[in-house]
Amino acid sequence: MQKSIITFSIILYAFAVPYLEINESHVFNPDWTPHAKIHEVWQLITNSSIGLLCLWQVWVRKNYVLGTLLSMLITGGFLLAYALQTTYGGSMKYLDGTEKTIFNINIGVFGFGIAFFLLVISLIKTIKTDE
């Protein structure tokens, strides 16, 4: 079960996010400054690389704690950035005012919220098992 939870969160941040952002809305957006684009590509490469490390930790090394904690940092980091968006002028809305949602909840908040919650459960289970 823990492998599945951690793997689910990794699929979201290491594979789904790059799939959704390597296009004209993000990486190739002509309205973005080159400086913002390099930060975007850096974040995508870093998160995907951490995801691969986590997959190796979980599936090969059987290290659930490290895979869970790193995945929590990435998913929780997004949730915190979303919560703080008004303080730095951020937004999940596109320039045309649209926003990707599921059940009227931002798609990132929805997916990473579920992933973060499941990762917390996985971490608690790992800690209890190790006692």
Side-chain angles (χ1 to χ4, degrees):
M1 177 74 164
Q2 288 174 282
K3 281 184 182 181
S4 298
I5 288 171
I6 301 166
T7 302
F8 167 73
S9 72
I10 294 167
I11 289 169
L12 289 181
Y13 70 76
F15 301 103
V17 170
Y19 175 79
L20 293 171
E21 295 187 1
I22 299 175
N23 58 47
E24 294 77 24
S25 70
H26 288 74
V27 173
F28 300 110
N29 190 329
D31 295 320
W32 282 26
T33 65
H35 187 83
K37 289 180 182 186
I38 200 162
H39 280 282
E40 170 70 6
V41 172
W42 173 26
Q43 171 258 316
L44 292 171
I45 292 169
T46 300
N47 288 355
S48 293
S49 298
I50 292 169
L52 292 173
L53 172 66
C54 289
L55 286 173
W56 178 68
Q57 286 292 320
V58 170
W59 287 93
V60 177
R61 306 256 343 229
K62 310 293 188 233
N63 185 345
Y64 300 129
V65 173
L66 184 59
T68 300
L69 289 174
L70 289 172
S71 295
M72 288 175 73
L73 288 173
I74 292 173
T75 57
F78 169 82
L79 295 171
L80 184 58
Y82 185 86
L84 296 173
Q85 66 184 317
T86 58
T87 65
Y88 62 89
S91 177
M92 286 297 290
K93 292 185 179 178
Y94 295 103
L95 294 176
D96 65 4
T98 62
E99 182 176 10
K100 289 186 180 178
T101 61
I102 297 176
F103 305 117
N104 221 18
I105 301 169
N106 173 274
I107 192 169
V109 172
F110 184 82
F112 284 166
I114 290 171
F116 190 83
F117 175 76
L118 292 173
L119 289 164
V120 169
I121 292 170
S122 174
L123 185 61
I124 291 168
K125 183 175 180 180
T126 300
I127 291 169
K128 285 187 177 187
T129 304
D130 290 344
E131 290 178 349

